[in-house]
Amino acid sequence: MAALNRWIKAALGTQCRRHWMSTVSVDTRSEQVNARPFQEIPGPRGIYLWPYIGIMLHYKPFSPYTAETIHLLHREMHRKYGPIFKYRLDKISVQTSSPEDMETIFRNEGKFPYRPASDLDIVYAERNGHKMTLASLNGEEWYKVRTPANKRLMKADSAHHYLAPQNQVADEFVHILSTQKMDGEEMQDYFFRFAAESIGVVCFNARLGFLNKSGSDDAKAVEFLQATKDILVLLLHSFNGTSVLHKWFRNKTYRDYERAYNILKKNSAQHILRAKKAVEDKQRAGTLDPEEPNFLLSLTSENIMDERDICNITEGLYMAGTDSTARNLQVLFYNLAKNPDKQETLRREVLSVVGPDKPVDAQALSKMPYLKACLNESFRLYYPTPGGVMRILPTDVVLSGYKVPAGTPLLLSNLEACRHAGENPDRFIPERWMRTESGKRHDDIHSMVVLPFGFGPRNCIGRRFAVQEIYLATSKVLQKLKIDIDDSSRDTEFVYKLFVHPTTPIKFKFSKISTFN
């Protein structure tokens, strides 16, 4: 039942249907004429296509699967039906693991790529008179907010401006890992604290104090951090069906979400007021440089967005850069711990470029291809989400030889595509991503397979910062420490909540290494 509500709300709503019906235009390419009809796409039949009941039958108690093991359900359906199948969500939906299909989907998503919004975000905004977050906006309203944000967040060097303060955060993280004894749960919390602190210096141009976990913790920092965690947990309750009534009533999930998000907004507003004052002071002094690495200052200085838009962008970037970054960093460390030979290869690269003590700058990052290969391989082996993005297209398309009508929910099975990518796909082999002298990768993996941050105009707005934070933490740790894991964590299993999640906290072990100049 939980999975039913998760996918019904995530798949479609009346808002979605209004969007595509107003923009539909039929694709008349030649493959449309020769394509097989939609009805012939394989998938569950009979009662499994009934509204509401059909999706319920895929989950406990009718099957071994739950919302957290939805990736195993998808794996079984791909095994049974092939790379493309259709099944019942709120309406009949199509799921594909074909990279060629994914490319077709992104090529036809249009200027305003559509994805369903979080119903918890919608009702919170409506009940409090707020604008929806950037992640939940669609159409021209989304485009209006996203375009100015791209200028500050999507340039190739946009994250590099924040390397200096993020180096400091990473250094503190390494110090904590090397000096404090922690169990798996405490260490998992510090991964989250590191990610939140690191993205915080970008979003708010200030240190938030999340790494100061002691009896003298700042009360505001504690409140802010806990609100961040609460928002993510409550969103999960909305997605997986633990909470349904929040759409109509102010139930406990909604009340807790409203309280937590109000705390987030309060803190964001304080930082924005400070940034606006800094802009005014520099304008009076004639020293305002709109290109300086200060995200809030740059947004407020352009005078093209109102304060609510600025808050939405800032809050969205901050939330997107916490749990997802922390989980992906944990998984990368897990892969390096289980593959000490790869860890040593990466350590040698790091030490050869930055030595045992130097900060990691943009030039250094450009000289560490094996670091990037390790992260790509970690994404491939333990994909960050149970699938890829979801899109609803304004035009008919042909996927795997079948004609798919406009308005059909399309789900990308990147996790399944990753399971079959390259030679020995069950092994952690970063070398598959390294390029030969001719510029080709050792494994010819389709560019659509590993897309942890999506693709196209609606890709993750914080992806450059998330990747940079992972690069920094990994480089800094390997400069000083060896990553190992307790035997009890060596065969950790992973499920999916909002993101990939170990069934039990991973018990890492960090030990100091002897370095060389």
Side-chain angles (χ1 to χ4, degrees):
M1 181 66 74
L4 162 67
N5 290 309
R6 175 187 184 182
W7 283 105
I8 287 176
K9 296 196 294 296
L12 264 183
T14 55
Q15 179 189 32
C16 160
R17 285 187 284 269
R18 285 196 300 268
H19 169 82
W20 76 261
M21 288 180 70
S22 64
T23 58
V24 64
S25 59
V26 177
D27 188 343
T28 58
R29 295 173 299 173
S30 59
E31 59 259 39
Q32 290 278 354
V33 177
N34 300 317
R36 300 172 68 180
F38 180 73
Q39 291 74 14
E40 292 186 9
I41 297 177
R45 306 291 183 183
I47 194 173
Y48 284 95
L49 297 181
W50 289 15
Y52 303 108
I53 294 174
I55 188 64
M56 290 174 58
L57 297 177
H58 291 298
Y59 298 93
K60 285 186 175 181
F62 308 103
S63 84
Y65 307 112
T66 66
E68 290 189 352
T69 60
I70 192 170
H71 61 297
L72 299 180
L73 169 62
H74 292 166
R75 182 179 303 176
E76 172 60 20
M77 294 179 84
H78 278 295
R79 185 198 64 79
K80 188 173 183 179
Y81 300 113
I84 188 169
F85 60 86
K86 67 176 187 291
Y87 66 132
R88 165 69 71 174
L89 297 177
D90 181 50
K91 63 179 294 188
I92 302 300
S93 306
V94 171
Q95 187 154 333
T96 178
S97 62
S98 163
E100 292 75 21
D101 285 349
M102 297 175 191
E103 189 172 0
T104 298
I105 291 168
F106 285 122
R107 193 170 61 240
N108 287 277
E109 62 182 353
K111 185 178 181 180
F112 309 130
Y114 184 91
R115 74 176 184 188
S118 160
D119 55 30
L120 193 53
D121 184 40
I122 291 173
V123 295
Y124 170 75
E126 290 175 346
R127 292 168 185 170
N128 290 274
H130 298 315
K131 288 187 176 181
M132 287 193 295
T133 62
L134 180 60
S136 293
L137 291 174
N138 279 296
E140 292 190 17
E141 192 176 5
W142 164 81
Y143 186 79
K144 179 183 176 182
V145 177
R146 175 71 187 242
T147 300
N150 284 347
K151 180 179 178 181
R152 297 297 173 183
L153 299 175
M154 301 307 293
K155 289 181 179 179
D157 64 346
S158 56
H160 294 165
H161 298 300
Y162 303 90
L163 274 166
Q166 288 190 330
N167 264 274
Q168 296 175 1
V169 176
D171 284 335
E172 290 181 23
F173 183 55
V174 174
H175 177 73
I176 290 169
L177 296 180
S178 62
T179 59
Q180 296 189 22
K181 290 186 177 180
M182 295 175 280
D183 59 26
E185 189 169 345
E186 290 172 322
M187 193 166 292
Q188 186 167 273
D189 178 55
Y190 262 112
F191 276 89
F192 186 91
R193 285 170 173 263
F194 161 76
E197 185 77 16
S198 195
I199 193 62
V201 300
V202 177
C203 294
F204 306 115
N205 197 42
R207 292 297 301 271
L208 302 178
F210 292 158
L211 291 178
N212 302 326
K213 188 178 180 184
S214 65
S216 60
D217 273 352
D218 180 82
K220 288 186 177 180
V222 172
E223 180 186 54
F224 192 12
L225 184 70
Q226 188 58 51
T228 305
K229 294 178 178 179
D230 290 345
I231 289 169
L232 293 165
V233 170
L234 295 164
L235 282 172
L236 177 63
H237 290 174
S238 168
F239 291 147
N240 69 15
T242 301
S243 173
V244 178
L245 296 180
H246 61 266
K247 294 172 65 175
W248 300 282
F249 305 103
R250 294 175 179 262
N251 66 351
K252 186 176 186 307
T253 293
Y254 175 78
R255 294 194 305 272
D256 289 346
Y257 184 83
E258 184 177 64
R259 177 195 57 78
Y261 220 106
N262 285 344
I263 292 172
L264 174 64
K265 282 190 170 293
K266 178 185 70 175
N267 280 271
S268 298
Q270 291 171 350
H271 290 295
I272 289 171
L273 285 173
R274 177 176 51 79
K276 289 181 69 175
K277 184 178 183 305
V279 170
E280 293 166 358
D281 290 345
K282 292 189 176 187
Q283 284 176 330
R284 283 193 294 267
T287 59
L288 179 63
D289 178 7
E291 297 300 321
E292 71 175 79
N294 183 326
F295 178 58
L296 279 177
L297 188 149
S298 66
L299 290 181
T300 56
S301 66
E302 291 182 0
N303 296 318
I304 58 176
M305 289 184 291
D306 63 30
E307 188 169 306
R308 292 194 300 173
D309 287 331
I310 294 172
C311 284
N312 278 345
I313 292 173
T314 305
E315 292 159 7
L317 178 62
Y318 168 74
M319 289 301 302
T322 56
D323 196 45
S324 60
T325 302
R327 298 297 177 191
N328 290 327
L329 181 60
Q330 281 182 286
V331 171
L332 176 57
F333 279 16
Y334 176 74
N335 283 319
L336 293 174
K338 287 193 66 176
N339 297 271
D341 57 329
K342 310 301 183 185
Q343 181 181 162
E344 286 306 311
T345 299
L346 179 54
R347 178 177 287 107
R348 286 195 296 270
E349 178 181 78
V350 171
L351 293 176
S352 69
V353 174
V354 294
D357 298 299
K358 291 181 181 178
V360 179
D361 57 22
Q363 185 178 15
L365 288 176
S366 69
K367 295 179 179 179
M368 292 193 280
Y370 197 73
L371 173 61
K372 296 166 184 159
C374 285
L375 182 56
N376 272 342
E377 182 67 351
S378 189
F379 284 147
R380 186 198 65 78
L381 195 58
Y382 295 98
Y383 203 70
T385 59
V389 301
M390 179 179 179
R391 289 289 184 265
I392 299 167
L393 304 183
T395 61
D396 294 358
V397 291
V398 175
L399 303 179
S400 294
Y402 297 96
K403 185 175 181 178
V404 179
T408 303
L410 305 173
L411 295 93
L412 278 58
S413 269
N414 287 89
L415 185 149
E416 183 66 18
C418 285
R419 291 184 62 244
H420 305 284
E423 296 181 5
N424 300 308
D426 294 332
R427 294 175 54 196
F428 181 74
I429 308 176
E431 288 76 8
R432 71 173 85 246
W433 297 96
M434 301 294 284
R435 295 188 182 277
T436 64
E437 292 183 1
S438 64
K440 293 183 178 180
R441 290 195 182 116
H442 286 277
D443 273 12
D444 187 18
I445 298 175
H446 196 287
S447 61
M448 292 288 110
V449 170
V450 181
L451 298 175
F453 301 104
F455 184 80
R458 192 145 195 172
N459 65 359
C460 176
I461 196 169
R463 66 184 180 89
R464 296 192 184 280
F465 297 90
V467 168
Q468 179 167 286
E469 290 163 35
I470 295 173
Y471 288 161
L472 277 173
T474 306
S475 300
K476 290 288 186 177
V477 166
L478 292 181
Q479 278 182 308
K480 303 290 186 182
L481 306 174
K482 178 183 178 182
I483 308 171
D484 204 348
I485 48 175
D486 188 82
D487 288 341
S488 63
S489 293
R490 196 156 294 278
D491 296 314
T492 296
E493 294 184 0
F494 292 86
V495 294
Y496 286 90
K497 295 189 177 181
L498 284 180
F499 307 101
V500 64
H501 196 283
T503 53
T504 56
I506 302 170
K507 298 178 181 179
F508 287 106
K509 297 191 294 186
F510 297 93
S511 56
K512 293 183 180 180
I513 62 169
S514 298
T515 57
F516 55 87
N517 293 322

